[in-house]
Structure formats: C-alpha cells, structure tokens
Amino acid sequence: MIPSTDYIRLLPELILIVFGLLVMLIEPLLGEHNNRKGLGAIALMGAVLSILASFYQTGYEGAAFFDMIHVDTFSIFFHVLIGLIAAVVILASFEYLNLQQIRYGEYYGLILLSSVGMMLMSSAVELVLIFIALEISSIGTYILAGFRRNAPISIESSMKYFLLGSFATAFFLYGVALMFGATGSTSVYTIATTLAQGATPLAYVGIALMFVGLGFKVASAPFHIWTPDVYEGAPAPVVAFMSTGPKAAAFAVLLRVLFATEAPGWFWLIWASAVLSMTLGNIGALVQNNVKRLLAYSSIAQAGYILVAFAAAKDIGISAVIFYAAAYAAMNVGAFAVASHLANVGEKYVTLDDYAGLGRRAPGLAAVLTIFMLSLIGIPVTGGFLAKFYVFQAAMQSHLTGLVIIGVINSAVAAYYYLRVIVYMYMREPQRDVPVLKMPFALGVSLAACLAATIYLGVLPGRILDYAMASARVLVR
Amino acid sequence: MLHLALFLIFGVIAVVGAINLIAQTHPINSALSLVVVMGSLAAEYLLLGAEFLGAIQVIVYAGAIMVLFVFTIMLLNAGAEEQTRGSKVAIIIGIPGMVIGSVAVAWALIRAHTGAEVPVGSLYGSAQGIGHLLFRDFLLPFEITSVLILIAIMGAVVLARRES
C-alpha cells in the first residue's frame, strides 16, 4: 500500500499533469472559430495551483514512493521556482501565440508537462527517475523550440537541439550506468554511503560522464555550442522558459549528484568548465547584433558564474547557487519577455538596430529592459548584483582567489555588451521604422512580476537567502 | 567456461555490428547491422541470467522496432547518404578524443573491483523479480514514463501536422 502522504509529496506534479491533459482535451472540443484564449487561463491556473501545492508540502517533508523522491526545503524551493517560471511564461505567451499563429493546446500542454519533468528532477533522489524526468523536460523543450512552424530557423533550432541533446543525454545515461557499476545502486543516498568507503576509478568516470550530460543541459562550456543557434530560432517565450526552467532543474540535479553523494574528483572539472563558460560566453556576446543570440551567450556566461559557486565550499556555495538560480530566472525571463514583445509578427525585429531609439518610442518597455540588463551586469539594488556578490563571496571564503579574479574580470567585460543594448535604446537614432505594439495586459503582469522579483531579491534578499541556506544544509547533511 | 566464451564471442559481434552500423552509408545496411547488435545483446542478457530481459530484447527491439525502422526507410525511399567533406577539426580532435575516452572507460572498468562480482551465468532474472521491481520499488519511474511517452506523441503530432 502506498500511504496517502506519498501523493501529497507528489502533488505539484500531479496537478500539472492533470491540467496539462485538461488543456489538450478541451482544445479540440472548442469549435473552429471559438476564442481559445481561455486555454491560457486554464494552464495558468494549473501552474499557480502547483505552486500552492508546493507551499502546502512544507508540512509533509520526507521520502515517498519507496525512496524515489525526497521532499525537503531544497525540493520545495525549486518546485516553487519552476512553477513561477512556468506561470510567468504562460502569461507572456498569451498575445504571442495569437500573433505568431501558434496552436494553443499543445503549447500550453507541453509547457505544463515539461515542468513536471523539471519539478521531478529537483525532488528525485534516484538516478533512474532523474533520467526519466530529465528526458521529459528535454523532449518537451525540443518540441517547443520548433513551434514556429512556418519559420525554417525554428525547425533548424529544434532539430539541432534534439540531436545534440540526445547525444548529451546518452552521456548522462552512460555515467549513471558506470555509477551503478561502481556502487551497485542508483539511489543517491546508497551511492553516498558506498562512495564514503572509497571510490574506484569507475566512480570518477561515472561522475565525469554525468557532468557532461548535465553540462549540456545548463549550457556550460565546452558543451555550449548549441545555445546561440537554438535560442535564436526558438520562439522567444519558449527561450525564456528553456533558458531558466530546465537550467534550474539541471543545477538542482547537479547539486544532488555532486553534494548529496559526496562524489569525488569533480572539483577541477567544475573549475575548468566555470572558467571556460564565463570567458567564452562573454567574448562570444561581445560581437552579437541579434538580441536573442546576445542573451544566449550571456546565459552561457551566467551558467559559468553559477559553476563558480559549485567550486566553492559546501553550505555557502550551495546556497549561492540556489540564490543565483532564482535571481537569474527573474531577470532572464523578463529580458526574453521584452524581446518577445518587440519581435512582432514572425519575430522580425530582433537585432540591436531595431532597438535603437526605443527609449523614446516605448519609454516604459525600454526602462524595464534597462533594469533587467543592469541586473544581468550586476549593478546594486538588483537581484543580479547580490547573486554575483554571494557567488564570489563563497568562492573567496573557499580561497579560490584565481577563480574570483577571472570571474570579476569577466563581469567587467560583460558590462560592455549589456550596456550596449541600453546605449542603443537611449542614444541611437532608429535606422528604420520599427512598430511597437500596444502592451497586452497579460504580458504587463508577467513583466511586473519579473521586475518585482528582480528588485525584491536585490533589496530584501534575507528571507530567500535564509531559505537557500536551510536547503543547502538539508542537502549536505 | 563455455558461458564465458559465448559471452565474449557475442560481445565482439555486438561491437563489430555497432562499428559497421556507423560505417555503412546506406540506411538499410545500417538498420540490418542494428539487428545484429540487438540480437547479440539479447544473447548477452540470456548469458547473464536475465532471461526475461533477453526475451523482451528480441521481441521488442530486434523484432518490433527494427521492423518499424526498415519500413520507415523503405517508405521514405532513402538512398545512400551523401558524404560531406568532414571538417578537419572533427578528425583532428574527434578521433584522438574518442580513443582517449574509450581507453579511460576501459581502464576504469578493468580496475573496478566492487566486491560484488558474480560469475557469468549464475544470475537469475525472472519475470517475477522484474515485476516486483517494476511495480514496487520503481513504481514511480514506471508510471512517469507514461508522461514521457505522451510528450513524445504530442511532439510527433505537433511537428508532423500540416498547417492550414
């Protein structure tokens, strides 16, 4: 018998599955010419209910389904984060789908169902389940990337993401298999006790291969090559989703795999990957003229900063990762939501030249984007600043001076291309006539949410930080 | 002893089949090489004592899925693949990288002594044992796989539908 508390520990996922199916089932029942905007509201309701269910879980911490998932402060944090990302992206998609003539039912269904995978990734403590959850989240995003059916670039993006992503997943699976060979178990906690008695070379290879697979999912160098092409072609709200949700989930898995198992020998892997990601990401972004590509390179660099915190000592490093994941989600979803609104029909206006003079044509939108850019640079009063601050502080306390120096130099380089966007918006004359659509209400709400979260994390980080610290302690206990 | 010899023979056949699968340029030849790989893997499972898994491997992979592959190739009438001039970087970095990777994995496998080794042929993986694992310990992954399959079906529908 499965006790009923087990279902409560799975409640957010169950709600998302139910609503995902509901959206798909209702769509064909609506007539050919009926208004389909209600579907978005149903999907939004599903996401919000799953967030509430995650909060409800605080009273029901513990393992469920024969030690497959583990509900603790760590998993609840990521459940809420992923739920919020899904909700904001659904809001931002209301007008976009209409504009680009994308079918509603499958779109919302896929967003909800791939969120199921991401949420499970953050609570799973069994490598088999982690793998299946990873596949759910990945396959969902592969398909979402190709949703602009009449744009060849979108199909190309989906195809590239699918081929390279499957390749990377195979690495992860191979790593899991070798880990099973080395320890005789796929449960994170059993692996931890076995590894504590001494690790064989097999365990090292297993960890390295798992890192390759997860490194691809978080777009860290040298597994980042796919990122700009995929982000450029995929629909902008989908990019907002897949550059934050699956990434946060993959970082959660990486935290579990590396820290809960007390795995050996990953330090220099992470160190090298962090340095490469920061450097290649920032240098790549310097020469970009397409805003979506620019943000793609920026997200590679941001993954590098997060990896710096991995290399740092346990508790503070983990809490810095968690805090950074939240701040990054807020500012990145916001930036892509603005880009999706400006892109217009067929995503025609995505170059920096199209952003010229935006400060006069759409002052509100330009101001919002400016704040997200400042946060991505790491200017005080924004979440991005404190996130970077905690990451580098954690690295300093662990005596990783070299890594901190490289990181700070990179942050300075990064300021150039983020500021370039702001300079274009406020100080350049528009080259051609770029229409700016009226701001739809739903998108306004989603932008306001991102903005509020960015500022809140920058001004009053205390509660989130305490929570991140508590999660970190749960993880390494 | 016979078990070990058979195990090694089928192992070599599987690896040769896999290399041939990549080396062939015509999709049908590749698909037939895949049958060889799947078949010899089934034999390996049998030799390891996982008889249920071996049977499933033959029925599902070597049988159903391969038929599907061959049908698809025939329906698409796919010809031999065109050779592109492979980039130099891929050859210069890729081949040594592959060799180093394989050697590292092989070395780690040889060095691995977990104390839990079992001689070839002495395990017994029954349908009952698998059923117990699948519907008790691994119930959640088993059920969640349905979401995975559902997403894949949706993807096929979305990407294959003709836009009006």
Side-chain angles (χ1 to χ4, degrees):
Chain A
M1 260 314 275
I2 295 168
S4 54
T5 45
D6 279 21
Y7 292 103
I8 294 175
R9 287 171 186 148
L10 199 65
L11 196 57
E13 286 90 347
L14 291 176
I15 290 175
L16 283 182
I17 293 174
V18 167
F19 275 84
L21 294 177
L22 211 60
V23 170
M24 283 194 298
L25 289 177
I26 291 175
E27 204 213 4
L29 296 179
L30 297 172
E32 192 71 17
H33 301 290
N34 278 342
N35 194 341
R36 271 144 213 273
K37 293 211 171 131
L39 289 173
I42 296 174
L44 182 65
M45 202 158 76
V48 171
L49 280 178
S50 80
I51 297 168
L52 294 178
S54 310
F55 280 121
Y56 180 64
Q57 282 183 325
T58 41
Y60 295 91
E61 292 179 3
F65 290 98
F66 311 103
D67 279 336
M68 279 291 143
I69 56 173
H70 220 278
V71 173
D72 44 31
T73 39
F74 178 79
S75 82
I76 292 171
F77 184 91
F78 277 97
H79 273 63
V80 172
L81 179 64
I82 290 161
L84 283 172
I85 293 171
V88 170
V89 168
I90 289 168
L91 269 174
S93 308
F94 275 17
E95 277 305 306
Y96 182 88
L97 296 186
N98 204 14
L99 212 59
Q100 318 284 355
Q101 297 183 325
I102 289 173
R103 300 184 61 92
Y104 287 67
E106 290 90 350
Y107 180 88
Y108 291 128
L110 278 171
I111 290 221
L112 292 180
L113 289 181
S114 47
S115 304
V116 172
M118 295 165 207
M119 286 188 173
L120 270 178
M121 279 163 80
S122 69
S123 60
V125 289
E126 165 77 31
L127 293 176
V128 174
L129 182 59
I130 289 177
F131 170 71
I132 293 172
L134 183 71
E135 276 296 85
I136 293 175
S137 117
S138 308
I139 291 182
T141 39
Y142 301 153
I143 303 162
L144 282 168
F147 250 78
R148 281 162 62 211
R149 289 285 309 282
N150 31 23
I153 193 174
S154 177
I155 304 295
E156 179 196 334
S157 135
S158 175
M159 197 69 199
K160 271 186 182 163
Y161 196 21
F162 169 62
L163 289 176
L164 291 172
S166 315
F167 191 54
T169 315
F171 274 97
F172 181 78
L173 196 55
Y174 200 4
V176 171
L178 292 185
M179 205 59 184
F180 179 71
T183 60
S185 172
T186 48
S187 162
V188 166
Y189 295 112
T190 319
I191 290 175
T193 45
T194 316
L195 285 184
Q197 293 156 12
T200 50
L202 206 54
Y204 286 88
V205 179
I207 286 287
L209 287 174
M210 280 196 265
F211 177 69
V212 172
L214 292 171
F216 175 90
K217 302 292 171 196
V218 300
S220 70
F223 320 110
H224 65 286
I225 313 284
W226 57 278
T227 321
D229 287 354
V230 170
Y231 284 15
E232 187 186 1
V238 170
V239 184
F241 185 60
M242 71 187 189
S243 67
T244 50
K247 241 184 205 192
F251 274 122
V253 169
L254 205 55
L255 284 174
R256 276 230 204 259
V257 167
L258 295 186
F259 292 104
T261 64
E262 303 190 37
W266 49 263
F267 178 79
W268 288 106
L269 279 180
I270 297 274
W271 194 93
S273 183
V275 170
L276 277 176
S277 306
M278 289 190 290
T279 315
L280 293 179
N282 283 324
I283 290 176
L286 290 178
V287 293
Q288 298 304 322
N289 271 320
N290 182 314
V291 174
K292 282 168 88 183
R293 282 185 84 88
L294 187 147
L295 286 171
Y297 279 105
S298 129
S299 82
I300 297 169
Q302 304 281 342
Y305 299 131
I306 297 182
L307 285 177
V308 169
F310 270 86
K314 277 190 169 175
D315 291 22
I316 40 171
I318 296 170
S319 69
V321 171
I322 296 171
F323 189 84
Y324 207 114
Y328 170 74
M331 56 202 185
N332 221 45
V333 171
F336 274 111
V338 174
S340 84
H341 180 60
L342 289 173
N344 217 320
V345 182
E347 296 214 351
K348 268 184 292 193
Y349 307 111
V350 285
T351 63
L352 270 178
D353 288 326
D354 299 326
Y355 283 60
L358 199 69
R360 251 161 295 143
R361 287 180 290 134
L365 210 55
V368 172
L369 186 57
T370 304
I371 292 172
F372 291 137
M373 288 295 156
L374 291 178
S375 180
L376 282 164
I377 300 173
I379 302 285
V381 208
T382 59
F385 166 71
L386 281 180
K388 265 203 186 106
F389 175 76
Y390 292 131
V391 163
F392 290 140
Q393 191 195 29
M396 273 315 279
Q397 286 187 13
S398 317
H399 308 290
L400 300 170
T401 323
L403 207 51
V404 173
I405 292 172
I406 297 170
V408 171
I409 292 174
N410 263 298
S411 304
V413 173
Y416 170 77
Y417 61 83
Y418 292 126
L419 284 174
R420 197 155 147 247
V421 178
I422 300 174
V423 166
Y424 263 85
M425 285 195 297
Y426 286 102
M427 296 172 197
R428 292 285 168 89
E429 290 302 319
Q431 302 288 320
R432 57 172 174 164
D433 195 31
V434 182
V436 179
L437 298 172
K438 197 171 147 286
M439 169 71 76
F441 177 70
L443 184 66
V445 173
S446 73
L447 280 180
C450 294
L451 198 62
T454 307
I455 302 290
Y456 175 75
L457 288 173
V459 179
L460 300 165
R463 278 187 65 184
I464 305 288
L465 205 61
D466 288 345
Y467 204 85
M469 205 63 200
S471 311
R473 285 201 201 94
V474 169
L475 201 65
V476 296
R477 89 203 130 95
Chain B
M1 200 53 213
L2 179 66
H3 269 130
L4 189 63
L6 281 173
F7 189 84
L8 289 175
I9 291 169
F10 279 113
V12 170
I13 294 176
V15 171
V16 171
I19 293 173
N20 192 44
L21 164 77
I22 302 169
Q24 291 294 333
T25 52
H26 200 286
I28 278 289
N29 295 350
S30 293
L32 293 178
S33 308
L34 192 54
V35 178
V36 174
V37 178
M38 295 298 184
S40 33
L41 278 183
E44 298 278 63
Y45 291 150
L46 275 178
L47 287 167
L48 285 172
E51 38 194 63
F52 183 73
L53 211 58
I56 292 293
Q57 174 84 8
V58 171
I59 295 169
V60 176
Y61 280 96
I65 291 183
M66 285 318 302
V67 170
L68 209 63
F69 265 151
V70 174
F71 257 116
T72 315
I73 293 168
M74 283 178 172
L75 282 178
L76 289 176
N77 207 4
E81 71 179 311
E82 286 174 35
Q83 291 283 339
T84 52
R85 259 188 287 161
S87 76
K88 283 236 172 67
V89 183
I91 294 171
I92 293 168
I93 300 176
I95 291 177
M98 190 193 73
V99 171
I100 292 170
S102 321
V103 169
V105 171
W107 177 78
L109 280 171
I110 291 166
R111 284 287 304 276
H113 292 292
T114 51
E117 283 95 351
V118 182
V120 172
S122 67
L123 279 169
Y124 180 65
S126 63
Q128 191 191 8
I130 288 183
H132 197 75
L133 274 180
L134 213 53
F135 294 104
R136 211 194 84 100
D137 295 0
F138 286 83
L139 176 70
L140 185 61
F142 178 71
E143 296 292 347
I144 286 296
T145 309
S146 60
V147 177
L148 179 61
I149 295 171
L150 180 70
I151 273 200
I153 295 171
M154 278 168 74
V157 170
V158 167
L159 296 178
R161 180 164 38 205
R162 196 162 288 158
E163 290 288 306
S164 53

